[in-house]
Amino acid sequence: MATVLRSLCCLIILHVSNSPLAFSQEENQFVYHGFSQANLHLGGIAEIHRNGLLQLTNLSKERTGSAFYRFPLNFNTTSSGAISSLSFSTTFVFAMVPQEPNMGGHGMAFAISPSMDFAHATSNQYLGLFNLPNNGLAANHILAIELDSVKNPEFEDIDGNHVGVDVNSLKSIQSAPATYLSDKEGRNISLELVSGNPMQLWIDYDEAEKLVNVTLAPARMSKPNRTLLSTPINLSQIILGHMYVGFTSATGYPLASDHYILGWSFNRSGQAQSFDVSSLPRLPPRRKRKEKPGLMTITSLILAAVVLVTIIGAAYIIRRKKYEEIREDWEMEYGPHRFSYKNLYKATKGFKDEQLLGAGGFGKVYRGVISSSNLQIAVKKVSHDSKQGMKEFVAEIISLGRLRHRNLVQLLGYCRRRGELFLVYDYMPNGSLDKFLYSNGRPSLNWLTRFRIRGVASGLLYLHEEWEQVVLHRDIKASNVLLDAEYNGRLGDFGLARLCDHGTDPHTTHVVGTVGYLAPELTRTGKATTCTDVFAFGAFMLEMACGRRPIELQGQPENVILVDWVFEYWRKGAILDASDPRLEGNYVVEEMILVLKLGLLCSHANPAARPSMRQVMQVLDGDANLPDVPYDTASLCTFSNYNASDFLLSLPSSFGQRSAPSMSSTDSILKEGR
Ligand SMILES: *[C@@H]1O[C@H](CO)[C@@H](O)[C@H](O)[C@H]1NC(C)=O
Ligand SMILES: *[C@@H]1O[C@H](CO)[C@@H](O)[C@H](O)[C@H]1NC(C)=O
Ligand SMILES: *[C@@H]1O[C@H](CO)[C@@H](O)[C@H](O)[C@H]1NC(C)=O
Ligand SMILES: *[C@@H]1O[C@H](CO)[C@@H](O)[C@H](O)[C@H]1NC(C)=O
Ligand SMILES: *[C@@H]1O[C@H](CO)[C@@H](O)[C@H](O)[C@H]1NC(C)=O
Ligand SMILES: *[C@@H]1O[C@H](CO)[C@@H](O)[C@H](O)[C@H]1NC(C)=O
Ligand SMILES: *[C@@H]1O[C@H](CO)[C@@H](O)[C@H](O)[C@H]1NC(C)=O
């Protein structure tokens, strides 16, 4: 009996130890025409269609997907039975189908990695491959070839349509615009990654040459002779004993594409096998493809057209007037960012009042839906009679449209008519934060949602320090923080304050901003800096914590200014008493104290004493301790010097309504035309 049991055990052990290891030794090569039977490990939203098509990501925004060969490959060249070189060859056919032309993103990558778990990798420019903390770390041990359809300045991307070789970081060590050398035509031909057409990529590494070669071509073509990239890399410094191979992918916001893999072959012992293209799974039919009309229909259509043309002609002239816009030569290069007035008119149902989302310092905002794509938009309608500075302003708007951050409201484009400028933004379904904070009837925002101001801080940090140039927001306030579908705060209206500068005499300085958020030095000098943004952010933080506006004119005189009010509580050693009573004590005490103290620090009358946004982020993330808020008579003096009269002196005549109006009053400045 015992012997039988023992041999049974042996059998089981043998079997168990045999399967994955023995497998991985044999499995140094595979080829998949479609993935129905494939040994893949899927992560994120990746899925395999019934026809075998592998879809890494779909049009859902800010999502990631991954697909890795389930078994680790043995790259330990000294272990017994292993292949004694690191050389490999792989090729795959992929397709990136954008939501609509110009709106594809962000990209995908082939990766060799010690792990196939990419759950912590983030979307957008991180391609589902890395995240902010691990990007660039040598401990990643990842070689990736990226197919990137968005230009990201922070990774020094060369353009929005490139192939790059990445080692441990999204900052490619070498990259090239997507092109191939046609052997037949003898010239370089550009490919658009997000054309939706299937393409093939070859990646070959030769251990002796220590070169990673990358070659791209349309799927129907054989491998071109010229490689797109030939990058010297010593893989033995990157590759560990066992590595996984596969793909990661990410969509962004608002940019998204369907990312597909149709076929994939991988080989450690020779050239990766090529595909029989006809046996690859088909892509789903293209969206919005119009059927070709038959001959009869065409004839009758032409006849009908001839009859109708005069009627239409008359109607056209009338309509043309209705949809007339201004389009100048210098705007040519902004083509993709230009929305037609007609589309905006239709999207907003003719700018009807029922579509009105709000009216702010810069004009009215309407909600709309672009019918062809179901894209929800918010259209800001700004009046302007001045032509002066419009060119510079539009250039700046377009450049701001390249800013991408999950805590900024994405600017999609613009349109111009006589006397009117339209700015098109992503629609934020939950409106602005102040509406929730000073809720009439609505339940008050809970602490969890309020503490997401961390996100807003990271958006502001991006504007100040992480983009290619410093962008000042100049009008941070609760009503400029919008909430997306998941209640993440996103900063809106950034950079718009420049509109005032462009429309006016450059020699006069206009203070732009909102009363209660204006740093004291700003009202004196009129010069906006990152410090004045930090001041406004401090006022905003206190507003979140206390549920009070930065200035309450109806309160007791000593309660007028929120900063002073909180400072008084803090001096008495009872800072928590300043917290919003509507929270009924439901908050994390440490977080509340942190936000209140940090808010005070940012609102310091002395700009030099305020932290930078990077320091604010570090404190909010718990990576740095809160610096000591100066707590002596001198600083008290500073705080109380900074009193109501500073503000009242600078109030515009319209001030006095409860809702602290914008001082910028863009409309009138633009209307005056100088
Ligand atoms: C994308 O895929 C996920 C997971 O399969 C699904 O929940 C989501 O609805 C899909 N989105 C779109 C736009 O098809
Ligand atoms: C490779 O295999 C050898 C022998 O089995 C072992 O000593 C060595 O630690 C392995 N190296 C790596 C990097 O796993
Ligand atoms: C194609 O592009 C490559 C790399 O940019 C360049 O070296 C080559 O000369 C070009 N060939 C032709 C025919 O333009
Ligand atoms: C890589 O490309 C270089 C030049 O482009 C070529 O000399 C080399 O043989 C190629 N190696 C492989 C493995 O394809
Ligand atoms: C590549 O180069 C070889 C020799 O230079 C030539 O015969 C061949 O036609 C070229 N094209 C392809 C697709 O192999
Ligand atoms: C490649 O890296 C390995 C390990 O660091 C090193 O031993 C080897 O000399 C390097 N080869 C070259 C050509 O740099
Ligand atoms: C791998 O390379 C070997 C030698 O060239 C070849 O016989 C085999 O078919 C290749 N396998 C795959 C899956 O590419």
Side-chain angles (χ1 to χ4, degrees):
M1 188 63 195
T3 32
V4 173
L5 259 180
R6 201 174 303 132
S7 53
L8 241 174
C9 279
C10 266
L11 261 177
I12 290 165
I13 288 163
L14 259 180
H15 186 78
V16 167
S17 65
N18 228 4
S19 57
L21 281 177
F23 225 23
S24 71
Q25 276 172 10
E26 287 160 20
E27 300 281 323
N28 279 313
Q29 57 183 58
F30 51 82
V31 54
Y32 291 126
H33 286 84
F35 297 89
S36 305
Q37 311 290 327
N39 283 316
L40 292 188
H41 170 88
L42 301 183
I45 61 169
E47 59 182 4
I48 294 171
H49 291 217
R50 206 170 293 157
N51 69 352
L53 186 65
L54 168 60
Q55 178 160 21
L56 295 168
T57 47
N58 58 25
L59 295 183
S60 289
K61 306 286 182 343
E62 298 196 298
R63 300 304 295 269
T64 62
S66 66
F68 277 76
Y69 185 62
R70 186 180 286 283
F71 305 110
L73 303 181
N74 186 355
F75 274 95
N76 184 341
T77 48
T78 55
S79 71
S80 62
I83 294 174
S84 63
S85 116
L86 294 180
S87 300
F88 71 90
S89 165
T90 186
T91 178
F92 58 93
V93 175
F94 66 96
M96 299 163 86
V97 187
Q99 177 166 25
E100 51 188 298
N102 295 318
M103 294 286 285
H106 265 245
M108 52 192 267
F110 168 81
I112 301 190
S113 149
S115 153
M116 53 181 171
D117 177 14
F118 283 82
H120 300 293
T122 47
S123 57
N124 289 292
Q125 65 267 41
Y126 291 98
L127 303 184
L129 185 62
F130 293 116
N131 53 34
L132 183 60
N134 77 8
N135 185 43
L137 300 184
N140 289 332
H141 288 282
I142 290 178
L143 169 76
I145 313 300
E146 63 170 41
L147 298 162
D148 192 346
S149 57
V150 178
K151 177 172 177 175
N152 281 100
E154 74 253 52
F155 302 142
E156 294 166 21
D157 282 355
I158 50 168
D159 62 14
N161 183 47
H162 63 268
V163 181
V165 177
D166 299 350
V167 172
N168 299 329
S169 162
L170 286 155
K171 200 149 125 191
S172 305
I173 54 179
Q174 203 181 353
S175 59
T179 48
Y180 69 101
L181 181 76
S182 160
D183 296 316
K184 214 165 22 184
E185 298 175 53
R187 63 185 182 92
N188 289 335
I189 297 176
S190 300
L191 289 174
E192 196 192 349
L193 290 175
V194 291
S195 61
N197 299 325
M199 292 172 212
Q200 188 167 0
L201 193 79
W202 292 262
I203 303 162
D204 301 286
Y205 177 71
D206 184 278
E207 167 86 333
E209 297 169 326
K210 299 218 170 356
L211 279 180
V212 172
N213 284 357
V214 181
T215 313
L216 181 69
R220 61 192 141 67
M221 279 187 49
S222 56
K223 189 178 182 181
N225 281 337
R226 187 182 72 82
T227 60
L228 177 63
L229 292 164
S230 189
T231 311
I233 292 182
N234 187 352
L235 266 199
S236 55
Q237 292 168 350
I238 300 157
I239 287 211
L240 300 178
H242 285 89
M243 299 292 275
Y244 293 88
V245 290
F247 305 92
T248 72
S249 159
T251 61
Y253 188 95
L255 308 174
S257 313
D258 288 311
H259 292 154
Y260 299 106
I261 308 279
L262 292 74
W264 178 26
S265 80
F266 184 92
N267 204 349
R268 294 264 329 271
S269 42
Q271 190 77 44
Q273 203 171 306
S274 56
F275 303 105
D276 174 6
V277 174
S278 64
S279 64
L280 293 175
R282 282 182 190 287
L283 290 174
R286 291 285 181 94
R287 288 175 284 273
K288 286 179 293 174
R289 183 187 278 167
K290 292 199 181 74
E291 278 178 27
K292 279 196 182 139
L295 191 64
M296 281 300 289
T297 345
I298 291 176
T299 326
S300 43
L301 268 180
I302 291 172
L303 273 175
V306 169
V307 175
L308 284 175
V309 86
T310 37
I311 305 168
I312 292 170
Y316 177 72
I317 291 166
I318 296 165
R319 284 169 70 87
R320 213 176 114 126
K321 199 85 191 147
K322 183 171 164 190
Y323 296 131
E324 199 169 44
E325 19 183 297
I326 299 180
R327 217 181 263 265
E328 291 175 79
D329 286 347
W330 54 263
E331 293 181 74
M332 290 285 278
E333 60 177 299
Y334 305 135
H337 301 278
R338 177 86 193 210
F339 281 76
S340 78
Y341 179 67
K342 188 172 163 184
N343 277 348
L344 295 185
Y345 188 87
K346 291 195 166 152
T348 56
K349 300 183 181 156
F351 294 98
K352 271 220 184 78
D353 278 351
E354 65 189 49
Q355 299 293 105
L356 200 60
L357 288 170
F362 294 101
K364 290 179 172 176
V365 185
Y366 296 84
R367 178 186 178 170
V369 178
I370 300 272
S371 58
S372 62
S373 57
N374 256 337
L375 183 70
Q376 300 213 60
I377 54 171
V379 185
K380 185 165 288 235
K381 184 172 169 183
V382 183
S383 318
H384 77 92
D385 283 342
S386 146
K387 273 187 86 169
Q388 196 191 356
M390 197 34 73
K391 187 169 171 178
E392 291 80 3
F393 181 67
V394 169
E396 196 157 313
I397 282 294
I398 298 298
S399 131
L400 292 177
R402 289 194 289 117
L403 287 163
R404 296 202 196 288
H405 190 280
R406 59 182 300 132
N407 297 103
L408 297 180
V409 179
Q410 181 69 39
L411 178 69
L412 301 173
Y414 78 105
C415 174
R416 288 202 309 140
R417 292 188 91 199
R418 252 174 94 103
E420 285 168 330
L421 174 70
F422 301 87
L423 299 171
V424 184
Y425 292 92
D426 245 335
Y427 173 66
M428 293 289 119
N430 285 314
S432 66
L433 198 50
D434 63 326
K435 293 208 182 91
F436 282 88
L437 206 53
Y438 310 108
S439 50
N440 21 16
R442 288 200 233 188
S444 169
L445 276 186
N446 66 18
W447 180 246
L448 194 68
T449 313
R450 294 193 199 194
F451 196 60
R452 293 209 190 146
I453 49 173
R454 282 162 77 239
V456 180
S458 83
L460 189 55
L461 171 63
Y462 176 78
L463 291 180
H464 281 182
E465 295 184 23
E466 290 172 354
W467 202 48
E468 57 201 50
Q469 71 199 55
V470 177
V471 177
L472 299 179
H473 187 290
R474 311 218 284 179
D475 202 9
I476 294 157
K477 55 180 171 179
S479 58
N480 267 344
V481 174
L482 299 163
L483 296 170
D484 66 14
E486 283 96 40
Y487 288 90
N488 292 310
R490 288 175 185 255
L491 266 173
D493 269 5
F494 43 86
L496 260 200
R498 298 280 289 159
L499 190 57
C500 300
D501 296 357
H502 285 312
T504 53
D505 188 334
H507 300 296
T508 62
T509 3
H510 286 264
V511 174
V512 175
T514 302
V515 175
Y517 300 87
L518 294 176
E521 78 271 17
L522 184 59
T523 54
R524 282 195 300 272
T525 65
K527 191 169 176 340
T529 60
T530 53
C531 296
T532 58
D533 268 1
V534 169
F535 183 92
F537 186 73
F540 166 68
M541 275 202 281
L542 294 179
E543 198 178 357
M544 285 292 105
C546 309
R548 295 168 57 114
R549 294 180 195 281
I551 290 196
E552 297 269 359
L553 282 189
Q554 266 124 350
Q556 299 296 309
E558 66 270 26
N559 293 347
V560 161
I561 293 168
L562 182 57
V563 182
D564 288 352
W565 187 74
V566 177
F567 192 79
E568 250 340 276
Y569 277 107
W570 179 68
R571 210 167 54 92
K572 286 187 287 189
I575 198 166
L576 280 178
D577 290 353
S579 65
D580 188 352
R582 279 169 298 181
L583 288 170
E584 294 170 344
N586 291 322
Y587 51 76
V588 182
V589 172
E590 294 75 27
E591 288 175 357
M592 176 63 85
I593 294 177
L594 192 70
V595 170
L596 284 168
K597 286 187 175 175
L598 197 55
L600 278 183
L601 194 61
C602 292
S603 311
H604 202 287
N606 175 9
R610 292 172 210 151
S612 70
M613 280 319 290
R614 185 168 299 282
Q615 290 168 316
V616 169
M617 263 325 278
Q618 283 165 347
V619 172
L620 286 175
D621 283 341
D623 293 340
N625 288 329
L626 189 72
D628 274 342
V629 180
Y631 182 30
D632 51 30
T633 34
S635 71
L636 250 185
C637 243
T638 339
F639 271 112
S640 50
N641 276 346
Y642 154 68
N643 59 22
S645 64
D646 262 357
F647 282 112
L648 296 174
L649 281 175
S650 56
L651 293 183
S653 57
S654 65
F655 188 71
Q657 304 139 11
R658 236 185 97 93
S659 64
S662 246
M663 275 188 73
S664 56
S665 183
T666 315
D667 298 80
S668 61
I669 291 167
L670 286 173
K671 265 182 208 131
E672 279 151 20
R674 268 209 61 92

